[in-house]
PDB file of all heavy atoms in Angstrom:
ATOM      1  N   PHE A  64      28.929  20.019 -31.656  1.00 98.00           N
ATOM      2  CA  PHE A  64      27.768  19.387 -31.047  1.00 98.00           C
ATOM      3  C   PHE A  64      26.521  19.911 -31.747  1.00 98.00           C
ATOM      4  O   PHE A  64      26.249  21.115 -31.751  1.00 98.00           O
ATOM      5  CB  PHE A  64      27.748  19.688 -29.560  1.00 98.00           C
ATOM      6  CG  PHE A  64      28.811  18.994 -28.759  1.00 98.00           C
ATOM      7  CD1 PHE A  64      30.079  19.491 -28.744  1.00 98.00           C
ATOM      8  CD2 PHE A  64      28.543  17.901 -27.985  1.00 98.00           C
ATOM      9  CE1 PHE A  64      31.103  18.898 -28.004  1.00 98.00           C
ATOM     10  CE2 PHE A  64      29.504  17.263 -27.239  1.00 98.00           C
ATOM     11  CZ  PHE A  64      30.782  17.774 -27.240  1.00 98.00           C
ATOM     12  N   SER A  65      25.777  19.004 -32.322  1.00 97.00           N
ATOM     13  CA  SER A  65      24.533  19.416 -33.022  1.00 97.00           C
ATOM     14  C   SER A  65      23.496  18.366 -32.656  1.00 97.00           C
ATOM     15  O   SER A  65      23.775  17.248 -32.224  1.00 97.00           O
ATOM     16  CB  SER A  65      24.735  19.491 -34.527  1.00 97.00           C
ATOM     17  OG  SER A  65      25.089  18.230 -35.068  1.00 97.00           O
ATOM     18  N   GLY A  66      22.229  18.738 -32.953  1.00 97.00           N
ATOM     19  CA  GLY A  66      21.153  17.817 -32.633  1.00 97.00           C
ATOM     20  C   GLY A  66      20.003  17.889 -33.638  1.00 97.00           C
ATOM     21  O   GLY A  66      20.030  18.696 -34.564  1.00 97.00           O
ATOM     22  N   HIS A  67      19.049  17.066 -33.371  1.00 97.00           N
ATOM     23  CA  HIS A  67      17.879  17.031 -34.184  1.00 97.00           C
ATOM     24  C   HIS A  67      16.747  16.473 -33.377  1.00 97.00           C
ATOM     25  O   HIS A  67      16.946  15.613 -32.509  1.00 97.00           O
ATOM     26  CB  HIS A  67      18.161  16.166 -35.445  1.00 97.00           C
ATOM     27  CG  HIS A  67      17.054  16.209 -36.434  1.00 97.00           C
ATOM     28  ND1 HIS A  67      16.922  17.249 -37.354  1.00 97.00           N
ATOM     29  CD2 HIS A  67      16.037  15.342 -36.704  1.00 97.00           C
ATOM     30  CE1 HIS A  67      15.863  17.042 -38.109  1.00 97.00           C
ATOM     31  NE2 HIS A  67      15.328  15.865 -37.757  1.00 97.00           N
ATOM     32  N   GLN A  68      15.569  16.944 -33.650  1.00 97.00           N
ATOM     33  CA  GLN A  68      14.341  16.349 -33.099  1.00 97.00           C
ATOM     34  C   GLN A  68      13.436  15.919 -34.174  1.00 97.00           C
ATOM     35  O   GLN A  68      13.180  16.735 -35.119  1.00 97.00           O
ATOM     36  CB  GLN A  68      13.629  17.327 -32.105  1.00 97.00           C
ATOM     37  CG  GLN A  68      12.478  16.646 -31.346  1.00 97.00           C
ATOM     38  CD  GLN A  68      11.785  17.520 -30.356  1.00 97.00           C
ATOM     39  OE1 GLN A  68      11.671  18.731 -30.625  1.00 97.00           O
ATOM     40  NE2 GLN A  68      11.350  16.992 -29.251  1.00 97.00           N
ATOM     41  N   PHE A  69      12.820  14.820 -34.069  1.00 96.00           N
ATOM     42  CA  PHE A  69      11.889  14.267 -35.085  1.00 96.00           C
ATOM     43  C   PHE A  69      10.483  14.526 -34.738  1.00 96.00           C
ATOM     44  O   PHE A  69      10.152  14.883 -33.573  1.00 96.00           O
ATOM     45  CB  PHE A  69      12.234  12.746 -35.251  1.00 96.00           C
ATOM     46  CG  PHE A  69      13.631  12.426 -35.662  1.00 96.00           C
ATOM     47  CD1 PHE A  69      14.579  12.165 -34.734  1.00 96.00           C
ATOM     48  CD2 PHE A  69      13.986  12.476 -36.975  1.00 96.00           C
ATOM     49  CE1 PHE A  69      15.889  11.899 -35.133  1.00 96.00           C
ATOM     50  CE2 PHE A  69      15.259  12.191 -37.403  1.00 96.00           C
ATOM     51  CZ  PHE A  69      16.221  11.929 -36.461  1.00 96.00           C
ATOM     52  N   PRO A  70       9.590  14.370 -35.713  1.00 96.00           N
ATOM     53  CA  PRO A  70       8.136  14.627 -35.458  1.00 96.00           C
ATOM     54  C   PRO A  70       7.562  13.815 -34.321  1.00 96.00           C
ATOM     55  O   PRO A  70       6.591  14.190 -33.700  1.00 96.00           O
ATOM     56  CB  PRO A  70       7.497  14.327 -36.803  1.00 96.00           C
ATOM     57  CG  PRO A  70       8.522  14.579 -37.796  1.00 96.00           C
ATOM     58  CD  PRO A  70       9.840  14.180 -37.184  1.00 96.00           C
ATOM     59  N   ASN A  71       8.149  12.629 -34.020  1.00 94.00           N
ATOM     60  CA  ASN A  71       7.647  11.821 -32.919  1.00 94.00           C
ATOM     61  C   ASN A  71       8.298  12.190 -31.602  1.00 94.00           C
ATOM     62  O   ASN A  71       8.144  11.528 -30.604  1.00 94.00           O
ATOM     63  CB  ASN A  71       7.915  10.322 -33.225  1.00 94.00           C
ATOM     64  CG  ASN A  71       9.344   9.952 -33.216  1.00 94.00           C
ATOM     65  OD1 ASN A  71      10.210  10.834 -33.120  1.00 94.00           O
ATOM     66  ND2 ASN A  71       9.619   8.680 -33.349  1.00 94.00           N
ATOM     67  N   TYR A  72       9.017  13.313 -31.600  1.00 94.00           N
ATOM     68  CA  TYR A  72       9.682  13.927 -30.421  1.00 94.00           C
ATOM     69  C   TYR A  72      11.009  13.266 -30.027  1.00 94.00           C
ATOM     70  O   TYR A  72      11.688  13.767 -29.153  1.00 94.00           O
ATOM     71  CB  TYR A  72       8.765  13.988 -29.202  1.00 94.00           C
ATOM     72  CG  TYR A  72       7.413  14.623 -29.479  1.00 94.00           C
ATOM     73  CD1 TYR A  72       6.233  13.927 -29.245  1.00 94.00           C
ATOM     74  CD2 TYR A  72       7.359  15.918 -29.984  1.00 94.00           C
ATOM     75  CE1 TYR A  72       4.989  14.558 -29.499  1.00 94.00           C
ATOM     76  CE2 TYR A  72       6.153  16.527 -30.239  1.00 94.00           C
ATOM     77  CZ  TYR A  72       4.938  15.795 -29.997  1.00 94.00           C
ATOM     78  OH  TYR A  72       3.753  16.385 -30.267  1.00 94.00           O
ATOM     79  N   SER A  73      11.343  12.132 -30.649  1.00 97.00           N
ATOM     80  CA  SER A  73      12.657  11.565 -30.358  1.00 97.00           C
ATOM     81  C   SER A  73      13.748  12.474 -30.851  1.00 97.00           C
ATOM     82  O   SER A  73      13.507  13.409 -31.639  1.00 97.00           O
ATOM     83  CB  SER A  73      12.758  10.209 -31.007  1.00 97.00           C
ATOM     84  OG  SER A  73      12.816  10.303 -32.406  1.00 97.00           O
ATOM     85  N   SER A  74      14.924  12.280 -30.372  1.00 97.00           N
ATOM     86  CA  SER A  74      16.052  13.225 -30.674  1.00 97.00           C
ATOM     87  C   SER A  74      17.359  12.505 -30.875  1.00 97.00           C
ATOM     88  O   SER A  74      17.556  11.372 -30.394  1.00 97.00           O
ATOM     89  CB  SER A  74      16.149  14.185 -29.511  1.00 97.00           C
ATOM     90  OG  SER A  74      17.251  15.142 -29.672  1.00 97.00           O
ATOM     91  N   GLU A  75      18.234  13.155 -31.602  1.00 98.00           N
ATOM     92  CA  GLU A  75      19.601  12.681 -31.780  1.00 98.00           C
ATOM     93  C   GLU A  75      20.573  13.751 -31.380  1.00 98.00           C
ATOM     94  O   GLU A  75      20.347  14.951 -31.561  1.00 98.00           O
ATOM     95  CB  GLU A  75      19.871  12.345 -33.253  1.00 98.00           C
ATOM     96  CG  GLU A  75      19.176  11.093 -33.747  1.00 98.00           C
ATOM     97  CD  GLU A  75      19.492  10.813 -35.185  1.00 98.00           C
ATOM     98  OE1 GLU A  75      20.119  11.660 -35.885  1.00 98.00           O
ATOM     99  OE2 GLU A  75      19.172   9.661 -35.639  1.00 98.00           O
ATOM    100  N   LEU A  76      21.709  13.316 -30.834  1.00 98.00           N
ATOM    101  CA  LEU A  76      22.837  14.208 -30.565  1.00 98.00           C
ATOM    102  C   LEU A  76      23.975  13.753 -31.439  1.00 98.00           C
ATOM    103  O   LEU A  76      24.347  12.560 -31.412  1.00 98.00           O
ATOM    104  CB  LEU A  76      23.223  14.138 -29.051  1.00 98.00           C
ATOM    105  CG  LEU A  76      24.585  14.685 -28.651  1.00 98.00           C
ATOM    106  CD1 LEU A  76      24.677  16.177 -28.889  1.00 98.00           C
ATOM    107  CD2 LEU A  76      24.915  14.341 -27.239  1.00 98.00           C
ATOM    108  N   ASN A  77      24.559  14.693 -32.227  1.00 98.00           N
ATOM    109  CA  ASN A  77      25.684  14.358 -33.063  1.00 98.00           C
ATOM    110  C   ASN A  77      26.913  15.105 -32.583  1.00 98.00           C
ATOM    111  O   ASN A  77      26.817  16.332 -32.252  1.00 98.00           O
ATOM    112  CB  ASN A  77      25.355  14.747 -34.526  1.00 98.00           C
ATOM    113  CG  ASN A  77      24.172  14.083 -35.063  1.00 98.00           C
ATOM    114  OD1 ASN A  77      24.179  12.868 -35.289  1.00 98.00           O
ATOM    115  ND2 ASN A  77      23.078  14.771 -35.275  1.00 98.00           N
ATOM    116  N   VAL A  78      28.006  14.467 -32.549  1.00 98.00           N
ATOM    117  CA  VAL A  78      29.273  15.093 -32.211  1.00 98.00           C
ATOM    118  C   VAL A  78      30.270  14.806 -33.322  1.00 98.00           C
ATOM    119  O   VAL A  78      30.525  13.625 -33.590  1.00 98.00           O
ATOM    120  CB  VAL A  78      29.846  14.648 -30.870  1.00 98.00           C
ATOM    121  CG1 VAL A  78      31.089  15.518 -30.533  1.00 98.00           C
ATOM    122  CG2 VAL A  78      28.784  14.742 -29.747  1.00 98.00           C
ATOM    123  N   ASN A  79      30.798  15.833 -33.950  1.00 97.00           N
ATOM    124  CA  ASN A  79      31.826  15.670 -35.017  1.00 97.00           C
ATOM    125  C   ASN A  79      33.203  15.866 -34.457  1.00 97.00           C
ATOM    126  O   ASN A  79      33.439  16.491 -33.431  1.00 97.00           O
ATOM    127  CB  ASN A  79      31.558  16.683 -36.132  1.00 97.00           C
ATOM    128  CG  ASN A  79      30.237  16.467 -36.814  1.00 97.00           C
ATOM    129  OD1 ASN A  79      29.828  15.306 -37.033  1.00 97.00           O
ATOM    130  ND2 ASN A  79      29.516  17.496 -37.137  1.00 97.00           N
TER     131      ASN A  79
END
Side-chain angles (χ1 to χ4, degrees):
Chain A
F64 289 77
S65 63
H67 187 78
Q68 185 178 36
F69 299 93
N71 67 353
Y72 308 122
S73 66
S74 176
E75 288 182 349
L76 164 64
N77 301 292
V78 187
N79 295 322

